[in-house]
Amino acid sequence: MYQILVVEDNADYQELLVNFLSNAGFSVNAVGDGLLAIDAMEEREYDLVILDIMLPKLDGFTLCELIRKKNDVPIVMLTAKFSEEDQLKGYQLKVDEYISKTTSMPVIVSKVEAILRRSGRVTASETLSMNGIVLDEHTHTVTIDGGAVEFTLKEFDILSELMKANGGVVTRKTLLSKLWDYEYYEDTRIVDTHIKNIRRKLGNNDCIETVRGIGYKMTELIK
């Protein structure tokens, strides 16, 4: 599981970011100032750092400079002010990506995944396995008890999210926000329809459990 450090002093934004990254399958540690970030990086190795520019005790640019003296970890800078001057300063410090705080959380997660792929920190092929179901995210294939089964792109993505949750509940709203455009955000029926199709294709290996009024989770089958 990939380790991400979030350095953000706004508690509400920090919590939102941590929740979305955790739901995407990342292990996330969050701190509220630059000095705590230095301590965190001395205690553990991270695959990616997300940091705000305006931080107490140690600002984002200074923190980035200190990190770069010892570490080539990918760095994503968050900013409320998207000025050209700040961007140039960040790129001079070898920041990998600049992201505005107005960017939606699903897009931020996608950018994080893309940066990890470019950096070589994400393996070329990530395979998920459960109850005889094997899902390969690199080749976009699914096999069930050794036989290939064709899934649509959305069905594949939903199944992937459920398998990554490792038995945890994935809400309908989470699936909508990550996999669909926002015009569908209040229409949870579209998720239910895709789940129905996925269950049909899983057949005897169907291990998707409905959590009434919330969403879905996958459980171990007893055979």
Side-chain angles (χ1 to χ4, degrees):
M1 184 177 290
Y2 300 98
Q3 309 287 324
I4 294 179
L5 176 63
V6 172
V7 191
E8 170 59 60
D9 63 318
N10 182 304
D12 290 338
Y13 190 86
Q14 181 193 101
E15 181 181 8
L16 188 63
L17 186 55
V18 168
N19 286 341
F20 268 84
L21 289 168
S22 298
N23 286 335
F26 297 108
S27 175
V28 187
N29 182 29
V31 296
D33 67 61
L35 292 180
L36 288 175
I38 293 295
D39 291 340
M41 293 198 69
E42 289 179 351
E43 293 174 0
R44 188 191 309 175
E45 184 176 342
Y46 291 92
D47 297 294
L48 183 137
V49 178
I50 300 175
L51 58 91
D52 189 10
I53 293 178
M54 303 299 293
L55 291 168
K57 300 183 181 179
L58 199 66
D59 69 83
F61 290 124
T62 304
L63 176 57
C64 181
E65 189 173 6
L66 290 172
I67 292 172
R68 280 290 173 256
K69 287 181 179 180
K70 297 182 178 181
N71 204 316
D72 64 351
V73 62
I75 297 175
V76 174
M77 268 197 166
L78 295 170
T79 178
K81 299 186 303 177
F82 220 76
S83 71
E84 181 177 316
E85 181 181 357
D86 281 351
Q87 289 182 68
L88 290 172
K89 186 174 182 179
Y91 288 130
Q92 287 170 358
L93 294 170
K94 300 180 181 179
V95 168
D96 292 83
E97 183 71 85
Y98 245 96
I99 299 178
S100 169
K101 285 191 173 182
T102 60
T103 304
S104 71
M105 288 294 161
V107 170
I108 290 177
V109 171
S110 295
K111 284 180 177 289
V112 165
E113 292 172 341
I115 292 167
L116 287 168
R117 282 195 297 271
R118 290 200 303 266
S119 70
R121 291 173 184 258
V122 172
T123 55
S125 178
E126 183 176 353
T127 301
L128 305 171
S129 180
M130 186 177 189
N131 294 326
I133 306 162
V134 178
L135 182 148
D136 190 315
E137 294 199 308
H138 180 59
T139 61
H140 252 255
T141 56
V142 178
T143 59
I144 300 175
D145 291 336
V149 179
E150 187 173 340
F151 284 77
T152 67
L153 180 59
K154 280 292 190 288
E155 290 167 358
F156 182 94
D157 288 342
I158 291 172
L159 184 59
S160 174
E161 293 297 326
L162 292 173
M163 294 180 76
K164 285 177 180 176
N166 292 318
V169 178
V170 181
T171 69
R172 292 179 176 87
K173 287 293 181 68
T174 295
L175 291 171
L176 281 170
S177 65
K178 293 183 72 171
L179 305 179
W180 272 274
D181 294 331
Y182 278 102
E183 61 259 31
Y184 293 109
Y185 196 70
E186 297 301 326
D187 186 9
T188 58
R189 293 171 299 177
I190 193 171
V191 175
D192 298 335
T193 298
H194 281 77
I195 290 288
K196 182 179 179 181
N197 292 335
I198 293 170
R199 281 176 161 158
R200 176 176 53 81
K201 293 179 179 181
L202 293 178
N204 294 332
N205 295 68
D206 178 17
C207 53
I208 299 175
E209 180 181 326
T210 301
V211 182
R212 189 175 179 86
I214 301 176
Y216 300 93
K217 65 178 181 179
M218 294 185 76
T219 58
E220 291 288 346
L221 290 174
I222 300 175
K223 293 186 176 181

